[in-house]
Amino acid sequence: MNERDLTRRGFVTQSLAAVGPAMMGANSLPLVSAHAEDTARMSVVCVGGHPTTGSGCGGTLARYAALGHAVTVVYLTRGERGISGNSWDDAARIRSAECEAACKIMGAKPVFFGQIDGRRR
């Protein structure tokens, strides 16, 4: 496959085709309450590059939090480039507030790493 032809959908499809058979017997994370007698409290961490992190797994994160597990969402950036027409500072303020509100709803702790959206350090 040519590098220009590589799409996110194509990458995921090829990855699943490669690892899917190996994962057939793998166990998923248990959805067991942290308050059960013989269940340890888990630390669940979701890491992503920008403020949409967690949007695809928000239900799962909320479920773990509701079961009493510690849930943290790590945002590498504050989404400075996420709102066209706004300054980077304004966009970062808006997107950070959205993240904090979403984490409050999910019962998760937001953590921002301070990288700048679109720039590498």
Side-chain angles (χ1 to χ4, degrees):
M1 176 179 272
N2 186 327
E3 187 174 312
R4 277 183 279 169
D5 297 332
L6 184 62
T7 63
R8 188 175 6 198
R9 185 181 310 263
F11 174 77
V12 170
T13 301
Q14 288 180 2
S15 299
L16 288 175
V19 300
M23 298 298 290
M24 292 302 287
N27 292 326
S28 61
L29 289 173
L31 285 175
V32 177
S33 173
H35 306 296
E37 286 182 25
D38 59 346
T39 303
R41 185 170 188 245
M42 291 190 295
S43 293
V44 179
V45 180
C46 176
V47 180
H50 46 79
T52 58
T53 299
S55 62
C57 58
T60 301
L61 297 175
R63 173 87 169 143
Y64 278 109
L67 290 170
H69 301 289
V71 177
T72 303
V73 182
V74 177
Y75 303 96
L76 298 179
T77 74
R78 292 182 179 269
E80 291 84 357
R81 293 188 177 192
I83 305 173
S84 61
N86 284 330
S87 71
W88 284 15
D89 287 339
D90 288 342
R93 247 187 316 279
I94 293 166
R95 300 293 302 276
S96 297
E98 293 170 347
C99 293
E100 291 167 351
C103 283
K104 184 174 182 179
I105 291 167
M106 289 187 294
K109 172 186 168 187
V111 175
F112 297 93
F113 265 43
Q115 294 182 350
I116 303 300
D117 196 2
R119 291 189 180 170
R120 293 185 182 176
R121 288 189 183 183

